[in-house]
């Protein structure tokens, strides 16, 4: 459960007996959980300074309806009231008093505004009312589902992916992260839909052209989708992809390297052709369409080995 201090808002001070400025009750504020998971307990606190006055009552409201009252001079001091037809807040009286009220097993209908009204006793009867909002959250039952990420991409390809967070209330907030960096929202679209159970499904799509900076030095890319609701729910799903380097470009580089005839000995082969080391016809082609006479036998072997080109190797000297 997340707790946040709600600052003093909508403060109404009523001076009932005199027209003098308030000198008693002051510094009234509430601490209301911003969000709480359905089925958990929620503790609402009301802080105030009476400055020597006696406390007359503390009342709590859900919306416009009073559901809890603490009056120290009455027996019993605590009274509770229904706030909806056939629906009442479940209050733990053992941990409730003039400064706090504890709600048990909260449910989604009780999301909304909670207000604390403090009244001083005679002679001032000063009264102040402060409020805070609380959301009862239904969290998704599983992690977000990430689809569409391919195992390999080339520079210039478009990354298309979608991510869905299953039913929750409210709808989960979905964000994209690429290699630990947030994705520019220009490439993102968000969608939300209702389920039959009154829960909401969140879906987001990502469509972004890939550049060199989107891959690590090792040619890796991590795509992550994160789902969050306030600060009480956060789950991620991640997939990885690799940079694919075009094979055609590698072959073009290899076949553009030339040999000198004196680099070969009789019996050496390249592709499907036997090379004639006595030939001086540079640039001639054999039956496989590969130049017979290329410069730099050692360089060709090194480049082919480094880049993974599948060729019939030259015979060792």
């Amino acid at each position: 459960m997340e707790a946040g201090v709600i600052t003093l808002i909508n403060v109404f001070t009523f001076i009932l007996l005199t027209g003098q400025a308030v000198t008693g009750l002051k510094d009234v504020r509430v601490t209301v959980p911003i969000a709480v998971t359905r089925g958990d307990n929620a503790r609402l606190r009301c802080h105030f300074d009476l400055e020597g006055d006696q406390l007359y009552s503390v009342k709590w409201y859900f919306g416009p309806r009073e559901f809890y009252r603490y009056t120290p001079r009455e027996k019993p001091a605590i009274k509770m009231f229904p706030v909806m037809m056939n629906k009442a807040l479940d209050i733990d009286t053992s941990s409730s008093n003039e400064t706090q009220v504890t709600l048990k097993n909260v449910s989604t209908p009780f999301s909304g505004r909670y207000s604390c009204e403090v009244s001083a006793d005679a002679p001032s009867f000063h009264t102040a009312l402060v409020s805070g909002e609380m959301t009862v959250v239904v969290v998704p039952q599983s992690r977000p589902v990430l689809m569409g990420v391919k195992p390999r991409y080339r520079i210039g390809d478009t990354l298309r992916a979608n991510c869905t967070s299953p039913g929750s209330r409210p709808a989960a907030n979905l964000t994209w992260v690429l290699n630990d960096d947030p994705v520019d929202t220009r490439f993102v679209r968000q969608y939300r839909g209702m389920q039959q159970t009154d829960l909401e499904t969140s879906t987001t799509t990502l469509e972004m052209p890939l550049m060199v900076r989107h891959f690590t030095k090792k040619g890796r890319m991590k795509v992550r989708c994160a789902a969050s609701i306030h600060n009480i729910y956060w789950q991620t799903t991640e997939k990885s992809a690799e940079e694919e380097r075009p094979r055609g470009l590698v072959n073009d580089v290899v076949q553009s390297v030339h040999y000198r005839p004196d680099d070969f000995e009789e019996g050496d082969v390249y592709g499907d052709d036997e090379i004639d080391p006595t030939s001086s016809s540079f640039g001639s082609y054999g039956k496989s369409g590969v130049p017979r006479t290329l410069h730099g036998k050692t360089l060709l072997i090194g480049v082919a080995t480094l880049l993974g080109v599948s060729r019939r190797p030259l015979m060792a000297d």
Side-chain angles (χ1 to χ4, degrees):
M1 179 177 66
E2 173 193 47
V5 176
I6 309 300
T7 57
L8 185 63
I9 58 176
N10 295 336
V11 179
F12 301 97
T13 303
F14 305 96
I15 305 176
L16 302 179
L17 298 179
T18 70
Q20 303 299 316
V22 176
T23 57
L25 180 64
K26 69 174 186 178
D27 296 336
V28 182
R29 64 189 190 279
V30 292
T31 302
V32 174
I34 296 174
V36 58
T37 303
R38 181 178 62 179
D40 284 356
N41 296 345
R43 180 167 295 174
L44 318 178
R45 289 188 171 91
C46 191
H47 312 272
F48 51 88
D49 183 358
L50 290 169
E51 279 199 331
D53 281 359
Q54 296 297 310
L55 177 65
Y56 176 71
S57 69
V58 175
K59 299 177 182 179
W60 279 94
Y61 299 85
F62 174 65
R65 294 183 177 274
E66 181 183 3
F67 68 89
Y68 175 88
R69 182 186 300 173
Y70 182 88
T71 311
R73 293 192 177 185
E74 296 183 2
K75 299 296 182 181
I78 293 177
K79 294 182 178 66
M80 295 170 288
F81 311 93
V83 293
M84 299 180 186
M85 186 177 295
N86 300 323
K87 287 186 178 180
L89 286 160
D90 188 3
I91 299 173
D92 182 2
T93 56
S94 65
S95 60
S96 300
N97 50 42
E98 72 274 20
T99 59
Q100 67 180 36
V101 57
T102 302
L103 309 180
K104 299 190 297 181
N105 191 29
V106 293
S107 57
T108 53
F110 294 111
S111 292
R113 179 175 293 272
Y114 288 83
S115 303
C116 174
E117 180 188 87
V118 182
S119 298
D121 207 340
S124 69
F125 288 103
H126 296 154
T127 299
L129 178 74
V130 291
S131 304
E133 294 281 344
M134 184 178 78
T135 300
V136 180
V137 174
V138 181
V139 300
Q141 295 301 302
S142 62
R143 291 176 177 271
V145 178
L146 177 56
M147 300 179 66
V149 179
K150 300 177 182 178
R152 292 179 179 82
Y153 291 91
R154 295 184 181 184
I155 303 299
D157 285 352
T158 298
L159 169 63
R160 293 183 177 90
N162 66 77
C163 179
T164 299
S165 179
S168 65
R169 187 170 181 177
N173 180 45
L174 297 176
T175 55
W176 291 96
V177 178
L178 195 65
N179 291 337
D180 299 325
D181 294 321
V183 172
D184 192 322
T185 55
R186 293 179 300 166
F187 306 115
V188 176
R189 296 290 182 272
Q190 301 280 356
Y191 309 91
R192 290 182 179 177
M194 295 295 296
Q195 296 182 342
Q196 293 181 353
T197 56
D198 292 332
L199 300 180
E200 296 181 78
T201 296
S202 296
T203 299
T204 178
T205 61
L206 173 63
E207 187 169 340
M208 182 179 66
L210 295 175
M211 304 177 184
V212 174
R213 61 185 174 84
H214 293 137
F215 295 91
T216 65
K217 293 181 180 180
K218 295 183 179 180
R220 301 279 293 176
M221 177 178 65
K222 294 185 298 182
V223 182
R224 182 190 310 149
C225 175
S228 62
I229 304 176
H230 293 286
N231 287 334
I232 64 174
Y233 174 82
W234 188 81
Q235 291 288 344
T236 66
T237 299
E238 182 178 294
K239 291 189 177 181
S240 297
E242 295 180 349
E243 180 185 357
E244 181 178 333
R245 296 179 178 130
R247 293 287 185 175
L249 178 61
V250 173
N251 291 339
D252 290 344
V253 172
V254 171
Q255 292 181 9
S256 68
V257 180
H258 291 278
Y259 278 79
R260 296 189 305 274
D262 56 3
D263 282 337
F264 297 96
E265 296 179 359
E266 187 173 358
D268 284 351
V269 294
Y270 181 80
D272 295 323
D273 301 302
E274 183 173 336
I275 298 174
D276 181 4
T278 63
S279 171
S280 59
S281 56
F282 283 80
S284 62
Y285 289 77
K287 62 184 179 181
S288 65
V290 178
R292 285 179 178 275
T293 54
L294 301 173
H295 289 285
K297 176 173 64 175
T298 303
L299 176 61
L300 177 61
I301 295 173
V303 172
T305 302
L306 176 63
L307 299 182
V309 179
S310 177
R311 291 288 188 186
R312 290 179 58 187
L314 291 165
M315 299 287 291
D317 291 339

